[in-house]
Amino acid sequence: MSEKQTHAAPPPDDIHVELKGLRKAFGDKVVLDGIDLKVRRRSSLVVIGGSGTGKSVMLKCLIGLLEPDGGQVIIDGEDTTHLRGRARDRVMRKFGMLFQSAALFDSLPVWENVAFGLIQGRGMRRRQAREKAIETLAKVGLGPEVADLYPAELSGGMQKRVGLARAIAHQPDIILFDEPTTGLDPIMAAIIDELIVSTVRDVGATAISITHDMASVRRIADEVAMIYKGRIIWHGPVSEIDHSGNPYVDQFIHGRAEGPIKMDVSQK
Amino acid sequence: MNPLAQIGRVVLHLLAETGRLAFFLKNALLIGLTPRWYPRQILIQMIRMGYNSLPVIGLTAFFTGGVLALQIYIGGTRFNAESLVASIVALGITRELGPVLAGLMVAGRVSAAIAAELGTMRVTEQIDALVTLSTNPYRYLVGPRIVAGVITLPLLVIIADIIGIMGGYIVGTRSLGFNAGAYLKNTVDFLEMQDITSGLIKAAVFGFIIALMGCYHGFNSRGGAQGVGRATTNAVVSASILILAANYVLTSLLFAD
């Protein structure tokens, strides 16, 4: 499956995901202006930044939901930027993603949501996939009685759990989290964060998250990168975030209205 | 405002929309209708489009057949040609009114439902989620709906034909005083196979249009509840107009031979 990996020299420092000079614009509006980022295997990187700084677009370019205008996305040493068709499918199987609003399929019961990637993506039999789904639901703390409910019957926190179960059911190498705690109360947010940490460790995956919730950052990150105006302006271990010496980072983590970051409130 | 700029904007918008639709059509056909297929999804869509449309189609066809019989009778008496009622009802229903009315009714029901469903899936990122689960949304969502539309509409039209002719028969025999046997004989004698098949060909095309418009507008909806609402309206309007336009083109083509 991954011939390229055996031919290529092992990447230095075991870089799992790399973004090189990533650019993306929508019309005249430049959203990503040369993103450079390296993520080590089995580490947890959290990208922080205000609304509209390009976090979501970066994540979508990384997984292939959007095609960047320039630059490269390199996964396991393979340039995946412009892959299509079967090659894209093969790379997509390495990924799991938890969406901001969970994005559960509301026409399907919970267990089919969790097993979706197994049934449709991998062609697993429904009966076997159901067992696997119930097993995965248990990992995120949900009992088998939830399996036959529909997403609309669940609370926000439970939907996030099901979304997490769906993201990990096919044992991905890389899991992306799009604002995992948005819309949850602080206690539920902490619970989901802990769940993220434990499941990512359990699956042995690399985690890349975007958020602006600083409490969440401190709980789930090994490393933190800050994005501002479509560029990465700081990247370092989470332990250094309080002494980054970067005025933009300082302003963001303390949530000050005054500072070098000028919020553009005229737009939108 | 400069009227030239206004015209230019409308033309550019129209061209951009046409281009987007062409790309969507290409993906729908080249990706949506190639393996792997989702028979389960096709079946679900056929039930939603077909079975659930039966009451609407039945009532529409019944009343249309009845009205047709009354109108033709009124027109026919002026030329002493009342005996034509049965055959013209049959021709009118099978060639024209069955497919067109069924198409328009289903466009209202089904295009709107598809656009609302896919539009909601788009704005709540469910379509993105499909992609991340290695499932092509053209194949999983668009393809089955188009196949279901093309199969289901002709089936609905067969039923509309039967109920429409029956509506004419009931009005003809109960209130216009036709002899039941003569009415049926006139219906059967003058109806040719080609009348029915031309209607069914139209229906298949209409089914395609209905599913395509619903999927296209749903897929491209942006911006929350308002965007979904707009997509739903656009789907119904564009499907209805395209059905009427396609009806003219198809009729002139089918008459040519």
Side-chain angles (χ1 to χ4, degrees):
Chain A
M1 180 171 118
S2 46
E3 281 174 38
K4 280 208 166 155
Q5 273 178 54
T6 49
H7 292 308
D13 204 14
D14 205 5
I15 299 301
H16 199 178
V17 177
E18 183 174 2
L19 304 180
K20 268 191 193 166
L22 209 60
R23 290 175 180 281
K24 178 78 185 172
F26 295 100
D28 303 333
K29 193 170 159 43
V30 176
V31 181
L32 301 183
D33 189 16
I35 296 266
D36 291 299
L37 200 59
K38 289 180 181 177
V39 190
R40 283 180 297 113
R41 194 175 297 276
R42 297 195 179 206
S43 70
S44 169
L45 172 80
V46 176
V47 179
I48 56 173
S51 313
T53 48
K55 299 189 303 278
S56 281
V57 173
M58 184 198 75
L59 214 58
K60 286 184 176 172
C61 286
L62 198 163
I63 196 174
L65 286 172
L66 289 173
E67 195 170 349
D69 302 331
Q72 288 177 298
V73 178
I74 297 165
I75 291 155
D76 285 322
E78 180 189 1
D79 184 348
T80 65
T81 323
H82 304 289
L83 292 184
R84 284 167 196 275
R86 276 168 208 276
R88 169 60 65 196
D89 283 348
R90 173 174 55 76
V91 172
M92 197 56 98
R93 288 204 194 99
K94 297 182 181 182
F95 282 101
M97 180 159 175
L98 174 58
F99 286 84
Q100 186 173 350
S101 55
L104 300 177
F105 306 125
D106 36 34
S107 58
L108 299 177
V110 165
W111 79 265
E112 266 191 80
N113 263 283
V114 176
F116 195 91
L118 301 172
I119 298 173
Q120 311 298 352
R122 307 230 161 152
M124 191 186 274
R125 294 199 168 277
R126 292 173 66 83
R127 182 181 299 239
Q128 195 190 350
R130 187 187 157 96
E131 278 169 25
K132 180 86 180 139
I134 288 173
E135 219 173 89
T136 315
L137 282 170
K139 283 187 194 164
V140 298
L142 293 174
E145 70 281 357
V146 186
D148 291 308
L149 297 178
Y150 280 84
E153 298 171 275
L154 305 178
S155 68
M158 283 167 95
Q159 289 187 359
K160 280 271 155 92
R161 285 174 194 246
V162 175
L164 181 59
R166 185 176 69 180
I168 61 169
H170 57 289
Q171 302 276 330
D173 291 341
I174 306 162
I175 310 180
L176 306 183
F177 298 94
D178 181 0
E179 313 239 351
T181 54
T182 299
L184 299 178
D185 66 74
I187 298 170
M188 186 53 81
I191 293 172
I192 293 293
D193 282 340
E194 268 175 34
L195 212 51
I196 286 173
V197 172
S198 63
T199 46
V200 167
R201 194 174 299 144
D202 185 41
V203 180
T206 304
I208 303 172
S209 322
I210 58 175
T211 187
H212 42 63
D213 175 357
M214 284 313 297
S216 176
V217 172
R218 291 173 199 279
R219 284 191 291 258
I220 64 181
D222 299 327
E223 290 190 26
V224 179
M226 175 148 173
I227 188 171
Y228 180 64
K229 291 201 170 168
R231 287 165 176 271
I232 300 292
I233 56 163
W234 187 79
H235 183 180
V238 68
S239 52
E240 288 176 19
I241 195 167
D242 290 312
H243 344 275
S244 65
N246 184 315
Y248 292 89
V249 176
D250 278 344
Q251 184 190 352
F252 189 86
I253 64 174
H254 296 112
R256 295 193 198 104
E258 299 299 318
I261 303 174
K262 301 282 179 260
M263 279 291 172
D264 193 357
V265 286
S266 62
Q267 273 188 328
K268 215 175 178 182
Chain B
M1 173 153 302
N2 186 345
L4 282 178
Q6 196 80 307
I7 294 170
R9 189 172 302 126
V10 171
V11 171
L12 283 179
H13 180 77
L14 190 72
L15 290 177
E17 190 76 1
T18 312
R20 254 199 299 275
L21 179 60
F23 272 113
F24 186 84
L25 183 63
K26 188 199 89 181
N27 283 340
L29 296 179
L30 294 186
I31 301 174
L33 300 183
T34 50
R36 83 182 248 234
W37 285 297
Y38 296 95
R40 213 181 139 82
Q41 292 301 313
I42 296 177
L43 198 68
I44 292 172
Q45 293 306 324
M46 283 181 66
I47 292 171
R48 278 199 211 163
M49 283 184 201
Y51 183 72
N52 295 349
S53 294
L54 281 177
V56 179
I57 296 294
L59 288 169
T60 313
F62 182 81
F63 288 120
T64 307
V67 164
L68 209 53
L70 282 178
Q71 294 281 27
I72 294 164
Y73 182 78
I74 293 166
T77 46
R78 295 181 192 165
F79 305 100
N80 287 325
E82 303 93 326
S83 59
L84 284 177
V85 168
S87 17
I88 296 184
V89 166
L91 279 181
I93 292 281
T94 53
R95 294 196 74 107
E96 194 61 41
L97 291 170
V100 171
L101 286 177
L104 290 177
M105 296 311 285
V106 176
R109 259 198 88 246
V110 173
S111 270
I114 293 176
E117 188 183 6
L118 297 199
T120 307
M121 289 186 75
R122 166 63 75 196
V123 301
T124 56
E125 298 184 305
Q126 291 180 48
I127 292 182
D128 285 343
L130 273 180
V131 178
T132 67
L133 295 166
S134 304
T135 304
N136 190 308
Y138 284 99
R139 217 163 264 153
Y140 184 76
L141 296 173
V142 179
R145 283 169 173 78
I146 287 181
V147 172
V150 172
I151 298 175
T152 310
L153 250 273
L155 296 178
L156 283 175
V157 167
I158 291 175
I159 293 165
D161 285 352
I162 294 168
I163 296 181
I165 290 173
M166 194 185 79
Y169 167 83
I170 290 176
V171 171
T173 52
R174 294 290 151 91
S175 71
L176 301 177
F178 282 97
N179 173 284
Y183 190 99
L184 285 181
K185 189 171 184 311
N186 275 338
T187 302
V188 176
D189 283 355
F190 288 94
L191 197 62
E192 287 173 20
M193 201 56 203
Q194 206 231 338
D195 299 325
I196 298 170
T197 49
S198 73
L200 297 185
I201 292 170
K202 282 182 180 182
V205 175
F206 297 165
F208 180 80
I209 290 173
I210 289 166
L212 184 74
M213 284 299 111
C215 291
Y216 170 71
H217 289 285
F219 235 66
N220 288 300
S221 65
R222 293 280 179 276
Q226 209 183 5
V228 176
R230 214 168 22 235
T232 311
T233 314
N234 288 343
V236 176
V237 172
S238 59
S240 306
I241 292 173
L242 283 177
I243 283 176
L244 294 174
N247 183 45
Y248 176 77
V249 174
L250 286 171
T251 306
S252 54
L253 286 179
L254 293 167
F255 263 123
D257 43 67

